[in-house]
Amino acid sequence: MEENIFKLEQEHLTTTYEKLLKMNNELEEDIRSLDNQATEEKNDIRDNIRLDFADDETKAETYGELEVWNRYIDTYNVQSEALRNKKTRIESLLKAPYFAKIQLQFDPSEEPESYYIGNVEMSENGATPIVVDWRSPIAEVYYNQENGHTFYEVNGNRIDVDLQLRRQFDLDKDKLNSYFDTQIAIEDPLLLRSLSRQRSDKMQSISATIQKEQNAVIRHPDVPALLVSGIAGSGKTSVLLQRIAYLFYKQRENLRPDQVYMITLNPVFREYIDSVLPDLGESNPNTLTWQEFMDSCSIPMADKNPAATDGRDLEAIDDMLSLLIPDDGDFLPVYQKDELILSAKEVQSVVEKFAQTIPMGVRLVQVAATELETRARRVFKNRKRDNHEKQPGEEKAAENQLENDYGGALKTIRNCGWLNYDAISKRLIGHSPSAIEWFYLKMSLTGMCDRNARYCMVDEVQNYTKAQMMILKKFFPRAKFMLLGDEFQAIRPGTVTFNELKDLFSTDKKSTDTISLLTSYRSSPEITSLFTSLLPEEIRVETQSVQREGTEPVIKACTNEEYIKVLKETIKESTNEEGLCALVCQNKKSLNYVREVLGKEAPEVITGDKKLPKEGAILIELAHAAGLEFDSVIIPDADSSRYPDDKLSRHRLYTAMSRATSRISVLSEGNMTPLLTPTSF
C-alpha cells in the first residue's frame, strides 16, 4: 500500500515539475520576445520622432508624440515586470514544488478534492491550480493540524469541510524523498527532520513546518497592536517574517514593501534574515536598526545611549507643550548662506501674533511657517526688484529664479529650522535634549511623521526603551504595530516592560492583543531545560522542546591555571562537529580578554554588519548575538563577577545559553555564577 502511494505521489510530482518547467521555458521565450519588441520600438522612436520646439504649436505636437511613446514604454515595463515576477515564483517552486497535500470532503455526495500546498501559488492557464499558496484560506486547514470536521473562511464566509488527509512531503526538485501522514504537531516528522538539519548562515522559511500556535500569530486578525511574547527559540522572528508575507498576500492589491518597516537590533541579524521573504516571492520591507532609523530622519546628533532617555520626559513634552508661551531664545534667524533674511525677533513676532489664539503645537507652527515664507518671499522680491516692465512669462521665470537663488532659506522655513529645539526643550524638561527628546519635540511641534507607513514591526522589543517605543508610535501614526520579544531576554538596563507596552499601544477603543509562544523549536531538550531553569516557575512548567534528545550541557568552573587549556579544548571539541560554534561574551571587555588569552588561536570576531560564516568558530558579544542561533555555544565568562545573582544577569545568561541548538558549554575562570547550581538544570 505504502509503495503504491509513494509511486502515485512521485508520478504527480513528476507531472507537476514538468508543467512548471514548461511554464518557465515559455516565460523565458515571452520575456525575450517582449525585450526584442521593446528594443525595436525604442529604436523606432529614436529614428522617427521629430523634436521640434520652433513655436508653441510644434512644441505641443512634439510633447504629444513623446507622451504617446512614453506610454508604450511604460506598457512594456509593466508587462516585463509581471512576466519576470511570475518567473521568479516558478523558479522558487522548481526547488521544491510543494510541501504538503490536503484532501477535503466538501459534500458527502461528491468525491474528495486534493490540494497541494507550496510557498507560492501557481495556476495552469490562469485557472486550474497546480500549487496552492500556503497563505490562502483553504491552506489554513493544514495548519490547524486536526483531521475531521473543520472549516475555513473566505471573505467572511465560513466553509465547512472534512479534512480526510494531511500529508507532508520531503522533496528535492522533482524527487520525492519521503512523505508523512500526520496531524499532531509534537509528532510532526517533517518538523523534526527540518529541525534536525544543520543550521544555515541564513534563516529559512518555515512555511512547511508552521505549528498551530505559530499559525495563530501569522493569521491573527489585522489589529492596531499585537504583542507576541515567546520563549527563546519559539520562532518569533520566523513568525514575524511569515506574517509579513501573509499581510502582503492578503493585501496584495494595496500594500507595498515601502509601507512596511521592520526595526531590528543589529546589521548582523538583518543579513541573517534577508533571504526569507524573497524565497516566499515577496520583497523585503524597510529593515532598519534603531540608529539607521534615526539617521534616516536626519536627527543631528548621535543616539549614543537610548536608555538614558526617560519616557517621563517625553510625557512631560506632551503635557506641557500646549501651555508654553513663546519666549526670547525659542527662535532662530533665517539665513540664505551668510545673508540674513529674517531675524530671530521677526520670527518671534510672527509666532506671537498667532499664539494669541492658537496654543503652541503643530497647527501654530504650520500657520507661522506659511506667514514666514510669505514674508521671506517679500524680502527676496524687494532685493530682486527691477524697474523695467515685465514681459509675458517673466513672472513665472522670476519665481523659478527666486527658488534657485533663495532655496536654502525657503528650505529652512519649510523644515522649521527657525525653531530652537534646545532652548524649548530646556524650558519644558529642564535640560538640553538627548537625540530622542530632540526628535520627539520636533515631531510634537512640526507634525513630522511618516503617514505612508501601514505597518511597523519591532523584533526583540524587550531591548528597547519606553522612550524609543514612544518615538516609533508617534512617527508612524497610521501604522499597525507588531511587537515581538521575550521579556526575560532584556539584556540592557532601563528597557520597556511588557505591561508598559500594553498600556502604550492600547487605545480607548482597543486594548493590545497578546499571544504567548511557549514551545522551543531551536534547542535540544537538555539545553531548553538549562536556560528555562532561569525562568519563573509558572512559566517554566509550561515550556517544552520538540527537538530530539541531544548532548548534555557542560558546566565547568576552572582554576586560573587550567582555564585557557579547558577553553581551547572545548573550542576544539565543538568545532570537530559540523556547524558553527559561537563564543558568546557578555560585553566587549570580556570578549577582548578571551581573544587575548587565546592569542593566535582566537576565532574571528563578528561585529557590525559582518556576515556569519557557515562553520568554524567565532567570537561575538551578547548584544550582537541576540536573535541569532548557533549549532554550538560556549559561554567563556560565566563567573560570579560577570553574572552575579541579579535580574539583569539572569536575563543575559538566559539569552546567551538559548542561542545554542545542539551543544553548550558554560565555563568560568574561578567561581561559577550562582545562577547555575546543580539543582537548576
Side-chain angles (χ1 to χ4, degrees):
M1 178 67 176
E2 290 216 1
E3 287 184 8
N4 189 44
I5 292 174
F6 192 97
K7 181 180 178 182
L8 290 173
E9 291 293 2
Q10 178 62 69
E11 289 175 354
H12 180 272
L13 174 60
T14 301
T15 301
T16 300
Y17 198 82
E18 289 174 351
K19 287 180 180 178
L20 292 171
L21 271 178
K22 181 182 178 183
M23 293 170 67
N24 191 55
N25 293 335
E26 289 173 349
L27 277 170
E28 287 180 350
E29 181 58 37
D30 289 344
I31 290 170
R32 276 195 299 270
S33 176
L34 188 66
D35 288 345
N36 291 335
Q37 191 176 351
T39 300
E40 291 177 7
E41 291 284 4
K42 289 175 183 177
N43 290 336
D44 191 38
I45 294 171
R46 184 192 62 200
D47 296 339
N48 297 300
I49 196 165
R50 185 171 60 91
L51 300 177
D52 192 343
F53 303 99
D55 53 47
D56 290 344
E57 185 176 348
T58 54
K59 278 183 186 177
E61 291 176 0
T62 299
Y63 289 140
E65 286 186 53
L66 288 171
E67 179 63 27
V68 170
W69 287 115
N70 282 336
R71 288 178 183 174
Y72 277 129
I73 299 303
D74 287 343
T75 300
Y76 283 126
N77 289 339
V78 170
Q79 292 174 340
S80 178
E81 184 179 5
L83 290 174
R84 293 178 195 280
N85 286 342
K86 186 174 182 179
K87 189 173 187 301
T88 298
R89 295 198 302 274
I90 291 177
E91 287 172 346
S92 171
L93 292 177
L94 286 173
K95 298 175 184 176
Y98 44 79
F99 53 78
K101 172 185 178 181
I102 52 175
Q103 184 170 294
L104 303 177
Q105 181 87 52
F106 289 89
D107 188 313
S109 64
E110 298 176 355
E111 287 294 314
E113 296 183 23
S114 295
Y115 298 87
Y116 288 82
I117 303 170
N119 276 337
V120 296
E121 182 176 297
M122 193 54 58
S123 298
E124 192 173 15
N125 302 320
T128 307
I130 299 175
V131 180
V132 174
D133 195 298
W134 68 273
R135 297 164 289 186
S136 65
I138 202 170
E140 185 166 8
V141 300
Y142 167 74
Y143 294 112
N144 286 338
Q145 299 172 334
E146 295 175 0
N147 285 8
H149 183 73
T150 185
F151 70 93
Y152 63 96
E153 292 186 359
V154 179
N155 298 325
N157 297 316
R158 173 172 168 146
I159 300 177
D160 290 282
V161 296
D162 279 318
L163 176 59
Q164 297 184 343
L165 177 71
R166 181 178 181 271
R167 179 166 291 164
Q168 300 171 307
F169 300 102
D170 180 10
L171 309 181
D172 181 11
K173 296 181 180 179
D174 60 347
K175 180 184 177 183
L176 173 61
N177 295 321
S178 59
Y179 75 89
F180 316 97
D181 291 344
T182 64
Q183 70 178 81
I184 307 300
I186 212 71
E187 297 173 357
D188 189 331
L190 187 63
L191 171 65
L192 295 175
R193 176 172 293 195
S194 172
L195 293 175
S196 67
R197 290 176 182 146
Q198 179 185 321
R199 60 156 297 284
S200 166
D201 60 324
K202 293 286 189 181
M203 178 178 280
Q204 307 298 311
S205 162
I206 62 166
S207 303
T209 58
I210 293 169
Q211 299 302 289
K212 191 171 183 177
E213 65 172 5
Q214 296 172 326
N215 187 54
V217 177
I218 294 167
R219 297 175 188 257
H220 193 77
D222 198 14
V223 294
L226 175 62
L227 175 60
V228 179
S229 174
I231 66 165
S234 56
K236 296 181 294 297
T237 303
S238 295
V239 166
L240 165 62
L241 295 169
Q242 301 288 146
R243 177 154 175 88
I244 292 174
Y246 178 73
L247 291 171
F248 281 143
Y249 177 84
K250 293 286 286 184
Q251 304 177 52
R252 54 190 175 276
E253 299 298 327
N254 55 21
L255 180 62
R256 305 186 308 272
D258 67 290
Q259 294 176 308
V260 180
Y261 282 81
M262 184 162 63
I263 310 299
T264 186
L265 279 177
N266 58 65
V268 175
F269 186 63
R270 180 176 56 210
E271 286 286 325
Y272 180 54
I273 65 174
D274 68 358
S275 64
V276 175
L277 287 170
D279 285 347
L280 295 173
E282 304 291 353
S283 299
N284 279 320
N286 298 296
T287 307
L288 302 170
T289 65
W290 175 259
Q291 191 56 56
E292 288 168 344
F293 165 68
M294 295 286 278
D295 291 343
S296 72
C297 297
S298 302
I299 307 305
M301 56 184 80
D303 189 16
K304 294 180 179 178
N305 184 15
T309 301
D310 194 325
R312 288 175 294 185
D313 281 342
L314 305 192
E315 293 168 350
I317 291 173
D318 285 333
D319 294 339
M320 299 173 61
L321 186 58
S322 62
L323 305 176
L324 196 69
I325 305 299
D327 194 13
D328 292 343
D330 290 350
F331 308 101
L332 300 170
V334 176
Y335 284 92
Q336 174 62 36
K337 296 184 179 177
D338 296 329
E339 183 182 356
L340 179 66
I341 304 301
L342 296 171
S343 69
K345 280 292 184 184
E346 289 176 281
V347 174
Q348 182 177 347
S349 68
V350 170
V351 176
E352 287 178 337
K353 180 178 75 171
F354 294 110
Q356 295 176 21
T357 55
I358 306 174
M360 183 67 85
V362 174
R363 182 163 172 257
L364 173 60
V365 169
Q366 289 176 344
V367 170
T370 301
E371 175 66 19
L372 289 171
E373 184 168 344
T374 300
R375 293 195 181 195
R377 287 178 175 277
R378 194 178 303 137
V379 172
F380 303 154
K381 290 176 181 178
N382 287 339
R383 296 181 184 183
K384 289 284 187 181
R385 184 177 297 156
D386 290 326
N387 294 324
H388 69 275
E389 184 179 347
K390 288 184 172 60
Q391 301 299 316
E394 189 174 335
E395 188 69 38
K396 184 176 181 180
E399 183 69 22
N400 292 337
Q401 187 64 41
L402 184 147
E403 289 281 348
N404 290 334
D405 293 345
Y406 294 98
L410 291 173
K411 183 178 180 181
T412 297
I413 293 172
R414 293 166 184 165
N415 291 343
C416 303
W418 42 272
L419 288 168
N420 189 340
Y421 300 103
D422 287 2
I424 297 171
S425 174
K426 287 178 182 177
R427 294 216 290 137
L428 287 172
I429 58 179
H431 58 78
S432 295
S434 65
I436 288 177
E437 290 159 347
W438 191 97
F439 188 11
Y440 196 84
L441 178 59
K442 181 171 183 178
M443 287 192 288
S444 299
L445 282 168
T446 68
M448 174 188 179
C449 63
D450 183 349
R451 296 184 181 278
N452 177 61
R454 299 265 304 280
Y455 293 92
C456 180
M457 317 295 200
V458 184
D459 199 17
E460 303 292 348
V461 69
Q462 74 279 351
N463 283 317
Y464 294 86
T465 66
K466 181 179 179 181
Q468 287 175 297
M469 301 311 298
M470 291 174 70
I471 286 284
L472 293 175
K473 184 182 179 187
K474 197 173 189 71
F475 188 77
F476 299 114
R478 295 180 178 174
K480 295 176 180 178
F481 280 80
M482 184 177 183
L483 315 169
L484 299 94
D486 178 357
E487 200 159 13
F488 302 99
Q489 291 188 62
I491 61 175
R492 296 182 175 92
T495 51
V496 68
T497 68
F498 280 25
N499 283 334
E500 287 175 326
L501 286 171
K502 292 175 188 177
D503 291 341
L504 180 61
F505 286 93
S506 295
T507 63
D508 294 337
K509 297 181 180 179
K510 184 73 176 177
S511 60
T512 301
D513 284 19
T514 59
I515 300 179
S516 295
L517 299 173
L518 296 173
T519 301
S520 173
Y521 302 97
R522 174 194 295 154
S523 305
S524 67
E526 294 84 356
I527 295 172
T528 301
S529 177
L530 177 63
F531 69 72
T532 57
S533 71
L534 300 177
L535 295 177
E537 173 74 17
E538 64 273 14
I539 297 177
R540 182 170 70 249
V541 296
E542 295 187 34
T543 62
Q544 60 178 329
S545 168
V546 299
Q547 288 275 13
R548 293 188 175 93
E549 291 184 357
T551 305
E552 284 294 329
V554 173
I555 315 292
K556 182 172 179 60
C558 307
T559 64
N560 298 91
E561 293 75 20
E562 67 178 346
Y563 174 72
I564 298 175
K565 179 183 177 183
V566 171
L567 178 57
K568 288 182 177 180
E569 288 175 351
T570 304
I571 295 172
K572 184 177 180 180
E573 290 173 6
S574 298
T575 52
N576 279 341
E577 299 179 5
E578 290 187 356
L580 182 61
C581 170
L583 281 73
V584 180
C585 302
Q586 193 198 79
N587 51 40
K588 190 172 183 179
K589 181 179 179 181
S590 176
L591 184 147
N592 287 336
Y593 175 73
V594 172
R595 182 168 58 174
E596 181 182 341
V597 300
L598 290 174
K600 294 181 180 179
E601 298 177 46
E604 176 189 9
V605 176
I606 298 295
T607 59
D609 57 357
K610 279 190 177 180
K611 185 178 179 181
L612 290 175
K614 293 184 178 180
E615 57 186 10
I618 61 169
L619 269 166
I620 189 168
E621 282 184 61
L622 177 58
H624 289 143
L628 303 177
E629 63 180 52
F630 310 97
D631 299 287
S632 176
V633 165
I634 299 172
I635 302 175
D637 56 357
D639 56 83
S640 57
S641 63
R642 290 189 177 91
Y643 287 98
D645 189 0
D646 59 43
K647 181 179 178 180
L648 191 59
S649 296
R650 184 176 292 268
H651 288 179
R652 287 172 173 168
L653 188 58
Y654 166 84
T655 305
M657 293 192 299
S658 61
R659 301 307 93 202
T661 63
S662 58
R663 184 185 182 105
I664 188 166
S665 301
V666 184
L667 307 178
S668 70
E669 184 176 14
N671 293 329
M672 176 63 64
T673 169
L675 296 170
L676 294 180
T677 63
T679 58
S680 68
F681 52 88

